[in-house]
Amino acid sequence: ERKTLLTLIFLKILERLSKIYSFQGQAGETVKQDLSESAKRRYKVELFLDSALGSNESVRLENLADYLALSPKQTTRVLKKEYGKTFSMLVSEFRIQNAKDLLKNDTASVEKVAEMVGFETSSGVIHTFRRLVGMTPREYRKFSQKQN
């Protein structure tokens, strides 16, 4: 189960890197782009969240601020500017996206998925999932299985 989560995180990182860092040129060759400071910062935030959530290490604003070499106050401003969200909302959205991926691609119980994505209780993931997705994790799993 941990291997599944790490694989998903690795694939997300590769996908983000390919979207952010290169594009196909006219002759089909890959052309590197200069990243704007905003794109670099977004990439670093997303890399930090993917890494921290995948390893179940403490996901705290102070840790992200250290990683970005900013103060917590500056980090909060950056997140508001770049994402229009607070740190806790961004963390919740990343956790729920990881949970959605696991629910689609894994047979683990909702309780196990909650643990894998960093929720302390299954009721926490159910409440947050319903708030952000509009349905429970079980309903989402059934819905996504019907779509395939």
Side-chain angles (χ1 to χ4, degrees), residues 62-76:
E62 292 78 11
N63 297 7
L64 176 59
D66 288 344
Y67 182 71
L68 296 174
L70 299 171
S71 73
K73 195 171 186 174
Q74 289 171 312
T75 302
T76 299

Side-chain angles (χ1 to χ4, degrees), residues 9 12-13 16-17 20-21 35-53 57 59-61 63-70 75 78-79 82-83 87 90-91 94:
I9 290 169
K12 282 183 187 180
I13 291 169
R16 285 195 184 119
L17 276 173
I20 291 173
Y21 198 62
L35 296 178
S36 69
E37 283 305 310
S38 174
K40 287 178 188 175
R41 201 174 4 240
R42 286 179 71 93
Y43 171 72
K44 286 180 82 172
V45 167
E46 292 170 14
L47 186 62
F48 172 85
L49 289 174
D50 278 337
S51 174
L53 293 174
E57 71 181 56
V59 183
R60 299 179 54 221
L61 177 63
N63 297 7
L64 176 59
D66 288 344
Y67 182 71
L68 296 174
L70 299 171
T75 302
V78 165
L79 295 177
E82 297 293 331
Y83 295 94
F87 176 74
L90 201 56
V91 169
F94 266 72

Side-chain angles (χ1 to χ4, degrees), residues 22-32:
S22 65
F23 65 93
Q24 289 299 110
Q26 289 183 338
E29 75 280 3
T30 299
V31 180
K32 291 184 179 180

Side-chain angles (χ1 to χ4, degrees), residues 78-137:
V78 165
L79 295 177
K80 271 292 198 193
K81 180 182 176 191
E82 297 293 331
Y83 295 94
K85 298 177 177 142
T86 64
F87 176 74
S88 60
M89 179 54 86
L90 201 56
V91 169
S92 292
E93 287 180 2
F94 266 72
R95 283 187 170 139
I96 294 302
Q97 185 56 52
N98 286 341
K100 286 169 68 175
D101 292 342
L102 288 168
L103 290 165
K104 276 194 259 184
N105 302 309
D106 199 317
T107 58
S109 68
V110 171
E111 292 77 15
K112 192 65 180 167
V113 168
E115 179 185 320
M116 291 169 71
V117 299
F119 283 93
E120 292 183 16
T121 64
S122 59
S123 61
V125 75
I126 292 168
H127 172 77
T128 306
F129 207 97
R130 184 178 285 137
R131 183 172 46 87
L132 294 177
V133 181
M135 60 181 81
T136 67

